[in-house]
């Protein structure tokens, strides 16, 4: 039966427009949406300011000298080559320590672990992710102090401190990646009579390879700019030192801090170098992050 | 024409247009797209008031997509487009000046999977639409609307003692009736239902079907269902949608009184579908 | 060979536990002398508790300030990415916010003292003028910008990506059918967010906020560089005299210290570790409870 209200409906003004939103709900919606968008813009401002300012202030400090000479015996001049080398060595040794332990521990958690040890490990890895970086430095100091006496400063101490920070990151990301490798791949290998260790090294790890590499690169990016743990372990030094087991060593972050803190007579030059070091650090971190993503996309194995 | 409504309800209408009689929906040349892919092609049909219209057809033939274009939900999918005209009681709901939110106020929807808001109580769930839409509703007014809606959904007796319990604590059939209560609490003119019983057990299904039969005296109802027996049981008008081949858009094959469609349909396609030869 | 490999994996797991036990043991060993020493031998001369209390105060104040600023911003930014911005660029926007987390803290420190601090000076003056009756804006406003307010702001920027990432995860997973249910009732976008997305993400946001808080508690370099420290215990955010934080105190004094002073610093490090541990455990407990629902 056709509605006899049809005629009535056409005589009235548009009900769709009339029954719509009252202005209050409409304006609340607009205001809140604007606030939300505004918050995002606000959150982006520091990022742009940071990148802009570091570039603006850091470029004047860059020079061939900056990259090739160290700061020994120089007033107002000199460069950061020792800091760059220090960054490479300290971070490199830290990776050497963290990556094998971290990946093996992730293998344990994902492939072997059962019962109490597994639960304890998961719990403590969680604890480790929360260690403040300066506390990690204090631990490394305490450890070496017991064996070598107070006042000891060594490059490798810094690496130990950084490992404490790096290991949980490597474990977490490696665990994620290993979990993604589907069980049916492992079972296919077992069904062929492959022993477990071979299954892991020849099937699981290669499948997860890109993800593992990415995880390590991201972990390195996190610790390459660390300052606090190194202040208490590797100290401050002006000259190039390539032996992590002998004497102080400095990385770029500590270098930047030191140039700021003790600028000496030629303040502006020192500040310039601090900014230049900051710029170099940001560049390294960005390159690592981007490279990590590219590596992942290029080398990941598609799992159907 | 308007259903015999209890006088108590009439005296506590929300502060908007009073007394909503069921309305006619007319679709004319409706084409629906997801980006470049056309999902529904050239549908023209009239949906009569105070009747249950069933949309049937095999999966993927566009019946749900078409349903969602009737309350402007289709356009919420990124990239989705609507071409053509859909009028509610003579007014084009897709006209530029019309706020989609206003359309959804007048055209309610019940979904396949019951979706009561889990963080709200049963009472608050039913009142949710009311709280949004009415300017200022006193507690007494809200109480009356909640009771009216729950009674209308045949759920009042089962939940009247636990209105403050969370919406998710009910059984599947009860949750769906809760969603129906929530939808009718705002007094829509049309009720759209997307396979409302497909997630329910047979007993709950029957309860909802009975409810639909009663609700049609107050609303225009459109039900999408892939269950032909349900369409035959519960609807007055049936519209059959079909696809020529996968990847092609769905289209309306024929529409007519339910009894006719199921006993002597006009198209061979329809006959094939309702007699179970495909789909 | 199979057994050897399995042993190696287990050994790695055990090594880590040993390392952690070692951390605890060595820190306690080195820190204990400060706890048992006579008050006069310790820096400050008033005993360990009096030494660490103002530092703990400063630590919590700075971190709390950072959280109060960062959490609403992070939640709103997360909502923007998941529900307001066009879906095609949402991923890129997420990367951008996550970039904030990649910047080393020393860079934040330099930025804070050379860029944000000076820029904040006029703002702090205005705060002192108009809102000076509120204790936190008591003033007199610092002219260098090396205040708790600026330190808190920088910390807020540093923890924003953490809170935002957790919130984004949660908001993106709000069930579609609930959101559609609200939309079908005629809700506006904000009403739908308020009714379905925010309640769903609430406990994730809380745990994300606590993770961010934990990070801010342990942050060293930004605070070390920015704050002009006087050891005062005060809520005044814009003044010259500021409390220090445990971490900054260690960074500033460790290189020059020796003997019992070092033990004292290590003991404060233990206190900091305890504080962050409790915060992080609380955050994980909340996540665990959410997952069980």
């Amino acid at each position: 039966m056709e509605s006899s209200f049809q005629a009535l409906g056409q005589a009235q003004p548009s009900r769709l427009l009339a029954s719509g939103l009252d202005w209050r709900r409409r304006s609340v919606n607009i205001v809140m949406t604007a606030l939300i968008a505004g918050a995002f813009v606000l959150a982006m401002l520091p990022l742009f300011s940071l990148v802009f300012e570091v570039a603006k202030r850091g470029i004047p400090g860059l020079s061939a000298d900056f990259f090739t000479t160290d700061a020994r015996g120089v007033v107002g001049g000199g460069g950061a080559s020792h800091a760059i080398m220090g960054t490479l060595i300290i971070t490199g040794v830290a990776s050497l320590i963290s990556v094998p332990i971290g990946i093996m521990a992730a293998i344990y958690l994902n492939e072997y672990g059962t019962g109490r040890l597994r639960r304890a490990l998961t719990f403590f890895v969680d604890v480790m992710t929360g260690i403040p970086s300066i506390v990690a430095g204090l631990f490394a100091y305490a450890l070496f102090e017991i064996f070598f006496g107070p006042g000891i400063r060594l490059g490798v101490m810094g690496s130990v401190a950084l490992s404490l920070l790096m290991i949980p990151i490597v474990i977490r990301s490696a665990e994620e990646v290993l979990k993604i490798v589907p069980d049916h791949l492992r079972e296919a290998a077992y069904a062929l009579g492959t022993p477990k260790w071979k299954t892991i090294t020849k099937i699981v790890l290669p499948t997860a390879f890109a993800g593992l590499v990415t995880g390590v690169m991201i972990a390195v990016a996190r610790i390459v700019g660390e300052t606090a743990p190194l202040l208490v372990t590797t100290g401050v030094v002006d000259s190039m030192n390539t032996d992590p087991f002998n004497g102080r060593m400095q990385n770029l972050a500590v270098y930047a801090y030191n140039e700021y803190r003790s600028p000496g007579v030629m303040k502006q030059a020192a500040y310039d170098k601090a900014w230049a070091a900051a710029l170099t650090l940001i560049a390294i971190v960005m390159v690592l992050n981007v490279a990590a993503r590219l590596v992942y996309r290029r080398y990941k194995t598609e799992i159907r | 024409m308007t259903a015999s409504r209890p006088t108590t309800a009439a005296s506590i209408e929300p502060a908007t247009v009073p007394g909503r009689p069921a309305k006619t929906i007319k679709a004319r040349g409706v084409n629906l797209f997801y980006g470049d892919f056309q999902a529904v092609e050239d549908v023209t049909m009239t949906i009569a008031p105070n009747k249950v219209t069933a949309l049937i057809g095999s999966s993927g033939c566009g019946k749900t997509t078409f349903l969602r274009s009737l309350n402007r939900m289709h356009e919420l999918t990124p990239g989705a487009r609507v071409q053509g005209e859909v009028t509610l009681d003579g007014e084009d709901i897709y006209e530029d000046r019309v706020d989609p939110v206003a359309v959804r106020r007048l055209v309610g929807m019940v979904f396949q999977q019951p979706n009561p808001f889990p963080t709200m109580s049963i009472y608050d769930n039913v009142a949710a639409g009311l709280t949004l839409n009415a300017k200022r509703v006193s507690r007494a007014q809200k109480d009356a609307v909640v009771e009216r809606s729950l009674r209308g959904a045949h759920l009042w007796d089962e939940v009247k003692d636990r209105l403050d319990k969370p919406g998710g604590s009910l059984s599947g059939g009860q949750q769906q009736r809760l969603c129906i209560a929530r939808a009718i609490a705002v007094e829509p003119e049309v009720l759209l239902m997307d396979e409302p019983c497909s997630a329910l057990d047979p007993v709950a299904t029957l309860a909802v079907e009975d409810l639909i039969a009663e609700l049609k005296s107050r609303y225009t109802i459109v039900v999408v269902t892939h269950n032909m027996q349900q369409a035959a049981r519960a609807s007055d008008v049936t519209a059959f949608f079909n696809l020529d081949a996968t990847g092609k858009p769905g289209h309306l094959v024929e529409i007519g009184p339910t009894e006719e469609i199921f006993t002597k349909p006009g198209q061979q396609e329809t006959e094939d579908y309702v007699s179970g030869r495909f789909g | 060979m199979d057994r050897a490999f399995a042993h190696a994996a287990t050994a790695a797991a055990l090594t880590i536990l040993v390392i952690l036990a070692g951390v605890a043991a060595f820190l306690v060993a080195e820190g204990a002398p400060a706890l048992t020493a006579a008050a006069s031998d310790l820096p400050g001369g008033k005993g360990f508790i009096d030494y660490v209390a103002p530092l703990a105060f400063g630590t919590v104040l700075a971190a709390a300030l950072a959280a109060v600023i960062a959490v609403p911003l992070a939640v709103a930014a997360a909502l923007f990415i998941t529900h307001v911005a066009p879906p095609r660029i949402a991923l890129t926007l997420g990367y951008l916010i996550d970039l904030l987390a990649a910047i080393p803290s020393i860079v934040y420190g330099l930025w804070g003292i050379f860029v944000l601090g000076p820029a904040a000076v006029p703002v702090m003056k205005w705060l002192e003028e108009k809102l000076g009756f509120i204790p936190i804006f008591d003033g007199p406003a610092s002219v260098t910008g090396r205040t708790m307010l600026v330190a808190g702001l920088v910390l807020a920027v540093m923890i924003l990506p953490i809170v935002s990432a957790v919130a984004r995860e949660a908001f993106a997973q709000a069930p579609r059918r609930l959101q559609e249910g609200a939309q079908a009732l005629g809700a506006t976008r904000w009403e739908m967010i308020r009714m379905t997305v925010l309640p769903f993400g609430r406990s994730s946001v809380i745990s994300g906020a606590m993770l961010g808080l934990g990070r801010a508690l342990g942050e060293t370099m930004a605070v070390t560089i920015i704050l002009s420290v006087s050891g005062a215990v005060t809520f005044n955010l814009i003044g010259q005299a500021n409390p220090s934080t445990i971490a900054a105190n260690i960074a500033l004094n460790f290189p020059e210290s020796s003997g019992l002073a070092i033990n004292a610093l290590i003991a404060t490090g233990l206190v900091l570790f305890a504080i962050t541990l409790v915060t992080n455990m609380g955050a994980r407990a909340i996540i665990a409870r959410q997952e069980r629902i």
Side-chain angles (χ1 to χ4, degrees), chain A residues 114-149:
Chain A
T114 51
R116 260 186 300 161
L117 181 54
R118 186 177 195 287
R119 263 178 293 139
L121 186 59
T122 310
F123 175 75
F124 281 110
V125 169
D126 267 347
V127 170
M128 259 178 122
T129 57
I131 296 184
S133 57
I134 189 126
V135 173
L138 290 178
F139 161 67
Y141 170 81
L143 175 65
F144 278 74
E145 200 247 22
I146 296 211
F147 291 111
F148 296 102

Side-chain angles (χ1 to χ4, degrees), chain B residues 72-187:
Chain B
R72 296 194 66 165
M73 292 282 286
H74 173 72
E75 66 205 47
L76 291 174
T77 312
R81 279 181 301 135
V82 175
Q83 261 173 29
E85 188 184 81
V86 176
T87 61
L88 176 64
D89 198 37
E91 292 181 69
D92 184 2
I93 66 176
Y94 282 99
E95 203 203 317
D96 284 332
R97 287 180 302 157
V98 174
D99 188 348
V101 171
V103 174
R104 296 180 202 132
R105 170 85 165 79
L106 295 172
V107 181
M109 186 173 243
V110 174
F111 297 80
Q112 185 171 351
Q113 191 75 1
N115 56 3
F117 301 126
T119 52
M120 298 190 207
S121 68
I122 294 176
Y123 183 96
D124 286 331
N125 259 286
V126 179
L130 186 66
T131 328
L132 282 179
N133 288 315
K135 291 196 196 349
R136 227 172 320 248
V137 196
S138 72
R139 179 70 194 209
Q141 282 178 311
K142 247 208 269 195
D143 284 348
V145 170
V146 168
E147 178 175 340
R148 164 162 56 85
S149 311
L150 284 171
R151 279 190 194 282
H154 293 182
L155 193 58
W156 175 251
D157 288 323
E158 289 166 64
V159 302
K160 64 175 187 262
D161 297 323
R162 42 189 180 122
L163 289 177
D164 56 341
K165 291 280 179 296
S169 65
L170 303 172
S171 75
Q174 288 172 322
Q175 282 188 18
Q176 192 64 304
R177 279 178 281 148
L178 176 60
C179 293
I180 294 177
R182 180 176 71 187
I184 65 179
V186 298
E187 300 274 312

Side-chain angles (χ1 to χ4, degrees), chain A residues 1-26 29, chain B residues 1-2 20-24 49-51 88-89 91-93 97-99 101-103 105-106 132-133 135 189:
Chain A
M1 55 189 171
E2 278 302 293
S3 167
S4 64
F5 289 90
Q6 196 92 8
L8 244 187
Q10 280 161 2
Q12 287 170 352
S14 161
R15 298 161 315 108
L16 278 178
L17 295 183
S19 84
L21 242 9
D22 63 26
W23 63 268
R24 199 170 51 98
R25 282 175 68 198
R26 202 189 303 267
N29 189 42
Chain B
M1 211 115 340
T2 38
R20 296 187 180 285
K23 297 297 176 151
T24 312
N50 297 118
K51 288 215 170 80
L88 176 64
D89 198 37
E91 292 181 69
D92 184 2
I93 66 176
R97 287 180 302 157
V98 174
D99 188 348
V101 171
V103 174
R105 170 85 165 79
L106 295 172
L132 282 179
N133 288 315
K135 291 196 196 349
E189 299 174 354

Side-chain angles (χ1 to χ4, degrees), chain C residues 42-137:
Chain C
L42 290 171
K46 282 193 270 147
F48 184 70
I49 308 270
D50 280 333
Y51 178 61
V52 78
L55 297 173
F57 170 77
T59 307
V60 173
L61 179 63
L65 183 58
V68 161
I69 299 175
V71 172
L73 267 181
V75 167
L79 276 179
F80 180 76
I81 294 178
T82 54
H83 282 87
V84 177
R88 259 171 307 142
I89 64 174
L91 205 57
T92 319
L93 296 182
Y95 282 161
L96 280 182
I97 292 220
D98 290 343
L99 272 183
L100 282 173
I103 297 180
S105 52
I106 171 101
V107 180
Y108 272 112
L110 290 176
W111 178 72
I113 195 171
F114 283 114
V115 179
L116 191 62
V121 169
V123 174
M124 293 194 293
K125 272 220 182 60
W126 181 89
L127 283 171
E128 183 192 1
E129 264 173 59
K130 303 291 171 151
L131 301 173
F133 55 90
I134 310 177
I136 57 176
F137 298 132

Side-chain angles (χ1 to χ4, degrees), chain A residues 8 32 47 93 95 100 108 117 127 131 143 153 180 206 231 272:
Chain A
L8 244 187
M32 290 312 298
L47 180 65
V93 175
S95 306
Y108 172 80
L117 181 54
V127 170
I131 296 184
L143 175 65
R153 298 271 191 273
I180 293 184
L231 276 183
D272 282 346

Side-chain angles (χ1 to χ4, degrees), chain B:
Chain B
M1 211 115 340
T2 38
S4 48
R5 241 182 251 158
T7 42
T8 44
S11 59
I12 39 97
E13 293 291 7
T16 45
V17 180
R20 296 187 180 285
K23 297 297 176 151
T24 312
I25 293 189
K26 286 206 186 44
R28 227 190 357 194
V30 172
N31 290 280
L32 302 172
F33 298 84
Y34 289 108
D36 289 324
F37 171 69
Q38 180 160 15
V40 170
E41 181 179 53
D42 202 25
V43 173
T44 298
M45 61 191 274
T46 299
I47 297 172
N50 297 118
K51 288 215 170 80
V52 177
T53 303
L55 308 183
I56 64 172
S58 47
S59 32
C61 61
K63 35 190 212 298
T64 298
T65 310
F66 176 68
L67 188 79
R68 289 165 65 100
S69 72
L70 299 180
N71 68 344
R72 296 194 66 165
M73 292 282 286
H74 173 72
E75 66 205 47
L76 291 174
T77 312
R81 279 181 301 135
V82 175
Q83 261 173 29
E85 188 184 81
V86 176
T87 61
L88 176 64
D89 198 37
E91 292 181 69
D92 184 2
I93 66 176
Y94 282 99
E95 203 203 317
D96 284 332
R97 287 180 302 157
V98 174
D99 188 348
V101 171
V103 174
R104 296 180 202 132
R105 170 85 165 79
L106 295 172
V107 181
M109 186 173 243
V110 174
F111 297 80
Q112 185 171 351
Q113 191 75 1
N115 56 3
F117 301 126
T119 52
M120 298 190 207
S121 68
I122 294 176
Y123 183 96
D124 286 331
N125 259 286
V126 179
L130 186 66
T131 328
L132 282 179
N133 288 315
K135 291 196 196 349
R136 227 172 320 248
V137 196
S138 72
R139 179 70 194 209
Q141 282 178 311
K142 247 208 269 195
D143 284 348
V145 170
V146 168
E147 178 175 340
R148 164 162 56 85
S149 311
L150 284 171
R151 279 190 194 282
H154 293 182
L155 193 58
W156 175 251
D157 288 323
E158 289 166 64
V159 302
K160 64 175 187 262
D161 297 323
R162 42 189 180 122
L163 289 177
D164 56 341
K165 291 280 179 296
S169 65
L170 303 172
S171 75
Q174 288 172 322
Q175 282 188 18
Q176 192 64 304
R177 279 178 281 148
L178 176 60
C179 293
I180 294 177
R182 180 176 71 187
I184 65 179
V186 298
E187 300 274 312
E189 299 174 354
V190 177
L191 206 47
L192 306 177
M193 301 179 135
D194 183 7
E195 306 207 32
C197 303
S198 65
L200 306 179
D201 64 70
V203 174
T205 299
L206 224 39
V208 173
E209 284 179 11
D210 285 344
L211 181 54
I212 293 177
E214 196 194 291
L215 289 175
K216 75 179 179 194
S217 59
R218 307 213 314 259
Y219 309 100
T220 305
I221 304 191
V222 186
V223 179
V224 165
T225 178
H226 66 263
N227 181 338
M228 278 191 289
Q229 289 75 24
Q230 177 172 79
R233 275 196 304 270
S235 69
D236 304 304
V237 176
T238 299
F240 170 56
F241 281 72
N242 200 12
L243 291 172
D244 290 332
T246 356
K248 291 278 192 178
H251 58 271
L252 177 65
V253 174
E254 79 175 281
I255 175 173
T258 301
E259 218 189 289
E260 255 179 56
I261 294 277
F262 278 91
T263 52
K264 35 185 181 71
Q267 305 284 333
Q268 185 59 39
E269 262 179 281
T270 318
E271 160 107 39
D272 288 341
Y273 180 74
V274 302
S275 57
R277 275 191 220 128
F278 72 91

